[in-house]
Amino acid sequence: MMKEADVALWRLVHDERQALIADLEPLASTSWLSASTCPGWNVHDVLAHLVDTAKTTRLSFMRDMLAARFDFDRANAVGVAREKAQDPQETLAEFRAVRLRTSSPPAPLATRLVEAFVHGEDIRGPLGIDRDYPAEHVATALAYQLKTSVKMGGGKELAKGWHMMATDTVFSHGAGAEVRASAMALLLAVSGRPVAVTEFSGAGAETFAATL
């Protein structure tokens, strides 16, 4: 039986998937080709990746990594190609079909929150779609990213030497010059996404933003 905390986490992931589906349903056909903030991928690519990871199991993850010779980028590219339909609405329909899945690669479940929030904003940001992300749960994803090396997709090294504080929920991390921003802005920053300097405040704001 799934632990209560895991059930709650999956509920959050499922809610984020449903919210993204609702935002993408009315999308104009040309908007699917818009560049996302995930390097090298457009909006349709990111959605295909979300379909692929929703279907990923521990066994299929190891199979795909072996086939990709343990190259994460290559494995992700294969997954996108596998799930990206010619018509973006078909990819969206598949995402709708897998929305409630609880399969996962062999990684902490917090990675599912990171993915839901960061990739959700990878899509929404360039399209000008606003979402009021649940700050306390974004902070959970942020805490995980700050423990994880950049080599593993985290932001531990990016945060070193800064005292990060969220302005919209209780969250504080590290020591050094203070950098204040919303939990989402901090999560995006330490996940290697572009964030405007105006999103930050505190003594270290400008210098930190310049490192992104």
Side-chain angles (χ1 to χ4, degrees), residues 148-167:
T148 306
S149 170
V150 170
K151 291 187 291 186
M152 298 300 294
K156 182 178 180 179
E157 295 84 353
L158 294 175
K160 188 175 182 181
W162 306 102
H163 178 201
M164 295 188 166
M165 297 185 67
T167 56

Side-chain angles (χ1 to χ4, degrees), residues 8-147:
L9 186 147
W10 278 117
R11 187 178 299 117
L12 289 167
V13 172
H14 295 161
D15 287 348
E16 287 303 314
R17 289 174 179 169
Q18 182 55 49
L20 185 59
I21 289 166
D23 283 341
L24 292 178
E25 284 175 336
L27 202 63
S29 57
T30 54
S31 295
W32 289 98
L33 299 176
S34 300
S36 77
T37 48
C38 188
W41 284 354
N42 63 27
V43 167
H44 192 185
D45 294 328
V46 178
L47 181 64
H49 173 68
L50 288 171
V51 173
D52 183 55
T53 55
K55 293 180 176 181
T56 298
T57 64
R58 291 173 179 266
L59 181 60
S60 69
F61 175 83
M62 291 308 301
R63 179 198 66 208
D64 290 348
M65 287 302 294
L66 281 169
R69 298 180 182 178
F70 293 94
D71 184 321
F72 280 99
D73 290 338
R74 183 182 299 167
N76 283 336
V78 169
V80 168
R82 179 169 55 222
E83 299 299 340
K84 186 179 178 182
Q86 186 171 0
D87 183 348
Q89 288 299 328
E90 292 181 18
T91 309
L92 183 59
E94 188 63 18
F95 190 49
R96 195 180 292 112
V98 301
R99 178 182 74 86
L100 296 178
R101 287 192 62 145
T102 58
S103 52
S104 173
L109 286 185
T111 60
R112 302 306 89 204
L113 274 184
V114 173
E115 178 179 80
F117 292 136
V118 175
H119 283 323
E121 195 59 18
D122 280 335
I123 290 173
R124 290 188 179 97
L127 296 177
I129 299 172
D130 292 327
R131 173 157 175 74
D132 186 15
Y133 294 95
E136 64 178 297
H137 300 304
V138 174
T140 299
L142 173 59
Y144 174 80
Q145 285 294 77
L146 291 173
K147 296 175 184 176

